């Protein structure tokens, strides 16, 4: 469905598309136009390190999508909220005057407590890309979980700081396989629209797209997809598309057109700092403790929960250990963080009544990457926007949806690059290892073959049609598939299994899960809109019945 938007000067832009939830398309979202979006407030909640001995009505562990929804809606209902965030606040510019580092030049800000970068694309044109960096509480965690690397955002705003902002609502016909215990009608009628509106979701102006130098790579991807019979779809995003066009015109500092994405975006992206967290800050009822990590949650003798929290410095060293009490605790540390913490709390006896479903149902959203080497007559452009705006849909026939992704290297590569989301059936489990004192994940690299086979239903056909080949230089020597990672961890505390149908943890009153760990492993598209919408649904019920 298309609609028109009005520019500030009153003129109409009839080519701007606004997608409505429930239309049945893979982009069936209720989206505010990027041109119409404005955050209700411009400040995030105050960074106020919590005091040992404090008592808080609601403690939210994590500041990503689910946690930010919970904090905002609880605060609007009159509840004082304190958020605990393991990462930094990301509110202070570095020596270059910018808060975030550039993708092509990783530095001390880039990685979470690593001494060497771990970039998703490890090689280019035969040269290794990783380099030594100082150990620091940087923005991107490349967490090696046995046989998979899980990329996660670290800082106030969680994954919204480091993702490409692709804000996709699943097709309604696929929803039953994603969250079978949730009413699709209420999600598509109420909660997806609410999530998209608050996140500020919009789409690229299709007319501008046709001539924009920075999207030549996407137009080449569209041409190749359509010539092989695959539909190309414009994908909504939380980037400020007005800002993008100004970047291209040279009237504002470049952000997406400077290649900023992997280690944060300095200007144009509407991260949670500019949306949910900004609105939460405006209530005056939300505070955040950055560089704090929850290590224990257990029932308190007088009711509520005793929460133990380590405060760390920028080297990861614990500088203080604090004990606080909370009436209610919301686990929102992300799929990996929440799952590992709950598995630990159950196994070590802090929360022994958690049920046997804790740690189960974890998946990688079927992520797999690849590149194709195009002919010389199909250049993809030296200037590439770091924000994807389109994808190839072969979900029904082949179980794959592929982002047409950029390679913002600043040189002509004649390469098309893709991140695929596939309908993988494989699910892993977190279990507690008492010898090492940590939670282990039993993911197997061999399981990625299912995702590769599904992605090949698109790219084998395109290569055959175009007479092209796969790139073999991006993920190591003579390696075609990026099958070693995920950007989209999901599951580990699955809705209606580890919790009830609204995220209440079985066995304990006042403990809730409200993040991506509720979703069992796959959303068919980029997951953060679904995480946000589910959190909107669940917190509305919790406020109405539990507070």
């Amino acid at each position: 469905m298309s609609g028109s938007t009005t520019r500030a000067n009153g003129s109409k832009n009839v080519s701007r598309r606004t997608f409505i939830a429930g239309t049945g398309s893979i982009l069936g979202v209720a989206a505010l136009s990027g041109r119409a979006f404005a955050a209700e407030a411009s400040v995030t909640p105050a960074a106020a390190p919590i005091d040992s001995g404090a008592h808080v009505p609601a403690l939210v562990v994590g500041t990503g999508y689910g946690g930010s929804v919970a904090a905002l809606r609880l605060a609007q209902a009159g509840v004082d909220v304190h958020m605990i965030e393991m990462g930094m606040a990301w509110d202070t510019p570095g020596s270059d005057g910018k808060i975030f580092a550039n993708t092509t030049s990783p530095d001390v800000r880039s990685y979470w407590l690593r001494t060497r970068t771990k970039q998703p694309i490890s090689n280019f044109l035969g040269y290794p890309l990783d380099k030594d960096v100082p150990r620091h509480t940087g923005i991107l965690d490349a967490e090696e979980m046995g046989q998979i690397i899980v990329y996660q955002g670290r800082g106030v705003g969680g994954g919204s700081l480091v993702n490409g902002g692709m804000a996709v609502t699943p097709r309604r016909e696929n929803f039953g396989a994603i969250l079978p215990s949730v009413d699709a009608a209420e999600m598509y009628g109420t909660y997806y629209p609410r999530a998209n509106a608050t996140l500020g979701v919009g789409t690229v102006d299709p007319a501008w797209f046709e001539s924009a130098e920075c999207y030549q790579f996407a137009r080449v991807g569209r041409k190749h997809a359509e010539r092989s019979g695959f539909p190309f779809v414009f994908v909504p995003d939380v980037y400020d598309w007005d800002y993008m066009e100004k970047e291209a015109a040279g009237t504002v500092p470049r952000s997406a057109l400077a290649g900023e994405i992997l280690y944060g975006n300095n200007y144009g992206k509407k991260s949670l700092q500019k949306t949910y967290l900004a609105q939460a800050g405006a209530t005056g009822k939300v505070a955040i403790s950055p560089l704090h990590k929850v290590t224990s949650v257990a029932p308190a003798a007088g009711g509520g929960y005793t929460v133990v929290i380590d405060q760390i410095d920028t080297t990861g060293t614990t500088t203080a250990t604090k004990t606080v009490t909370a009436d209610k605790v919301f686990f929102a540390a992300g799929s990996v963080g929440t799952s590992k913490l709950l598995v630990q709390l159950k196994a070590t006896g802090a929360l022994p009544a958690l049920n046997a479903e804790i740690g189960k149902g974890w998946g990688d959203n079927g992520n797999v990457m690849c590149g194709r080497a195009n002919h010389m007559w199909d250049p993809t452009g030296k200037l590439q926007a770091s924000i994807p705006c389109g994808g190839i849909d072969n979900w029904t026939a082949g179980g794959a949806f592929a982002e047409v992704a950029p390679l913002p290297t600043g040189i002509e590569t004649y390469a098309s690059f893709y991140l695929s989301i596939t309908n993988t059936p494989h699910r892993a489990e977190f279990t507690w290892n008492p010898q090492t004192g940590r939670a282990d994940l039993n993911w197997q690299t061999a399981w990625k073959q299912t995702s590769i086979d599904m992605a090949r239903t698109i790219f084998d056909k395109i290569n055959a049609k175009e007479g092209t080949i796969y790139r073999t230089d991006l993920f190591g020597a003579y390696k075609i598939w990026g099958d070693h990672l995920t950007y989209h961890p999901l599951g580990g505390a699955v809705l209606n299994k580890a919790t009830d149908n609204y995220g209440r943890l079985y066995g304990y009153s006042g403990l809730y899960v409200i993040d991506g760990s509720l979703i069992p492993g796959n959303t068919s598209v980029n997951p953060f809109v679904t995480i946000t919408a589910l959190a909107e649904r669940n917190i509305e019920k919790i406020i109405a019945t539990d507070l």
Side-chain angles (χ1 to χ4, degrees), residues 90-124:
W90 296 109
D91 57 3
T92 304
S95 59
D96 59 358
K98 296 182 178 180
I99 291 174
F100 304 116
N102 193 279
T103 302
T104 59
S105 304
D107 61 24
V108 67
R109 295 168 289 187
S110 300
Y111 278 87
W112 177 259
L113 300 178
R114 296 186 70 92
T115 56
R116 188 167 180 82
T117 66
K118 194 77 173 179
Q119 303 193 78
I121 299 175
S122 61
N123 297 73
F124 189 70

Side-chain angles (χ1 to χ4, degrees), residues 177 360-366 422-429 441-443 447 490-491 519-523:
K360 295 181 179 179
W362 188 89
D364 69 335
N365 209 29
T422 63
N423 193 17
T424 176
H426 300 295
R427 301 292 181 265
E429 180 180 357
L441 181 69
N442 67 344
W443 181 267
W447 291 349
L490 295 165
I519 301 172
N522 195 280
T523 56

Side-chain angles (χ1 to χ4, degrees), residues 346 351-355 506-508:
K346 177 176 171 61
L351 295 175
L354 294 174
N355 73 14
Y506 286 125
Y508 296 94

Side-chain angles (χ1 to χ4, degrees), residues 376-388:
M376 297 293 286
W377 56 81
D378 270 333
T380 48
K382 295 180 182 179
L383 177 66
Q384 297 190 12
S386 62
I387 300 299

